[in-house]
Amino acid sequence: MSASCVVHAATLRGVQAVPVEVEVCVSNGMPGFSVVGMADASVQESRERVRAALRACGFSMPSSKVVVNLAPSALRKTGSGFDLPIAVGLLCATGQVNPAVLDGVLFAGELSLEGAVRPIAGLLAYALCAQRQDLALVSAAEDGAGRIEGIGRRVIESLGQLRRGEFAELGGALAPEKPQELDFRDIAGHDMAKRAFQIAAAGGHGLLMMGPPGSGKTMLASRLPSILAPLSRSEALEAAVIHSVAGRDAAPLLAGVRPFHAPHHCATLAGLVGGGSPPRPGAISLAHNGVLFLDELPEFAPSVLQGIRQPMEAGEVVVTRADGSVRFPARFMLVAAANPCPCGFFGDSERTCTCSQRQVHQYQGRVGGPLMDRIDVHIDVARIPPGQVLSTGHGTSSAKLREGVLAAREYASWRRSTTGFDERARQAEVLVESCAMSEADRDFLEKLAASGSMSGRAIMRTLALARTIADMEQVPKVGRDHLCEAVGFRLRDARAWLMERLAVGEQAGSFARYPDGRWGPRA
């Protein structure tokens, strides 16, 4: 004599939950409890947790042969979230619980030895998986998953609750309270840096700050989310799922605040890009639709830094393993900070640098040219005078900067709708057409690019930056002033000299960059 039942469950695969059917069969034979279907160690351990939880809640463990099959068997199953569906299936198969509790629901949860149901990582992904199957997720209560409009959830606190066959509804949209953000008003001075941050925020451009210790680089970066456009509902849901899978609080994201992730410079390649077994999202995926801040950029391992080059272009990370590939979203705005040399005071007007020229070149070379080429805005951040430090709280506010960002983004959206040229498609021809430059300005850019030995990617990124600057001024055409400012941001070490030369009317081809990095008149 045998009895069986099927319970809807799921397992995480990247940042998505994949449907799994838990088939429980109780039959005559040698007593035993086995789990089959490509289950990892954490799933196999559920047998002991289920046994203890059933006894603690007053249920009996059958003295028969129990086989649990996780289908499809070709898919590897991971995590402790199968505890609850296995226990429910076992109780229904043995007639201790009415099988009607299985109708229209998907179970996910970990069991304690006392029978309590614990939340697991990725409950929002499980809830979306259940929604795709027209099911409701039954699990322990957890922060924001299921309180999002359109996603239904039911709560179970203990296995003993199954006797009643009723689950408390956790419905209704949740409006998380928006956390208080840091304000640029707290930073005195640094008007040039704030202008750079405003432009970068308007166009989603990468930004690199270089300056001595204590100049305010980290303070500037930490306030960037306060001037970014709020997350749309779809963007918030995408980012919240990633944070839920990683076991992080997703409430600020659901409130519309863009993520700001700042990994330590000792992070490994797997920690930054993603990986592990099973693969889990890394720092760049946690910054999806937000900001990735890399402080002390040259201190990161060069191999780790080069690992983010491809995701910056593709907007996703593909982690390949023997059992297949997993994709993690990774559209982020890169902001980095670096000291100019090992001691940090190269070029400082107040402190003398103790590094040799060789040490300076080696230190700055650790970042690598290919990654530097992908960062659009390069700025120097100098220490401000003590008098300005004491006047903190009276700088340009985030609200003021954000007005300019939102206005630029709104104008850019209108411009794309009327002209049909969307430079976000990353096509060079479309970008050039969207700038609508005159022949004279086009020739001017060509000479600037030749003088600066700019690569094709650098030219296109400079043009995209100029397009954003023009959007800030709400003008349809990119002019010479926009190009000059974009080149000044792009070529950090040349900016002051370059802008001075252009201001007095010198031609773009009359200066050159020398092998030691210095700019000067062409010989």
Side-chain angles (χ1 to χ4, degrees), residues 45 50 55 93 171 218 234 270 302 309 352 367 398-399 428 507:
E45 291 171 354
V50 169
R55 294 192 182 101
T218 303
S234 60
R309 285 161 44 189
T352 302
V367 178
S398 291
Q507 297 298 316

Side-chain angles (χ1 to χ4, degrees), residues 431-491:
L431 174 59
V432 173
E433 292 291 341
S434 69
C435 292
M437 293 182 293
S438 66
E439 287 297 327
D441 290 340
R442 186 168 180 155
D443 183 63
F444 179 76
L445 177 60
E446 291 177 3
K447 291 180 179 179
L448 283 176
S451 300
S453 303
M454 297 169 66
S455 66
R457 178 186 291 110
I459 294 173
M460 287 297 104
R461 287 184 173 271
T462 300
L463 199 55
L465 186 60
R467 178 64 268 176
T468 300
I469 295 171
D471 288 337
M472 295 281 293
E473 298 180 5
Q474 301 190 8
V475 294
K477 295 184 178 181
V478 170
R480 186 161 302 192
D481 291 343
H482 310 134
L483 293 172
C484 288
E485 186 173 9
V487 170
F489 280 128
R490 182 80 194 184
L491 303 177

Side-chain angles (χ1 to χ4, degrees), residues 310-387:
Q310 190 270 342
M312 287 179 66
E313 298 286 344
E316 66 176 5
V317 176
V318 181
V319 179
T320 303
R321 294 289 184 267
D323 60 345
S325 298
V326 176
R327 296 179 181 272
F328 295 113
R331 293 191 304 272
F332 58 91
M333 178 179 172
L334 176 64
V335 177
N339 293 331
C341 65
C343 77
F345 299 105
F346 178 73
D348 195 336
S349 59
E350 299 178 7
R351 298 280 298 272
T352 302
C353 176
T354 59
C355 305
S356 65
Q357 194 70 16
R358 178 182 177 85
Q359 288 176 311
V360 174
H361 281 294
Q362 286 181 337
Y363 188 76
Q364 296 189 9
R366 285 175 58 86
V367 178
L371 180 59
M372 294 286 283
D373 207 31
R374 287 168 168 81
I375 301 177
D376 298 346
V377 180
H378 299 232
I379 60 173
D380 291 314
V381 180
R383 287 188 293 178
I384 59 178

Side-chain angles (χ1 to χ4, degrees), residues 160-206:
Q161 193 175 334
L162 292 170
R163 288 192 177 92
R164 301 191 302 270
E166 297 177 354
F167 307 108
E169 292 285 344
L170 188 64
L174 176 70
E177 184 178 352
K178 189 174 182 180
Q180 185 175 2
E181 294 178 320
L182 300 174
D183 200 305
F184 273 101
R185 183 190 301 275
D186 303 331
I187 303 175
H190 289 311
D191 292 335
M192 186 67 180
K194 291 180 181 180
R195 163 73 173 173
F197 270 87
Q198 188 182 37
I199 294 172
H205 302 285

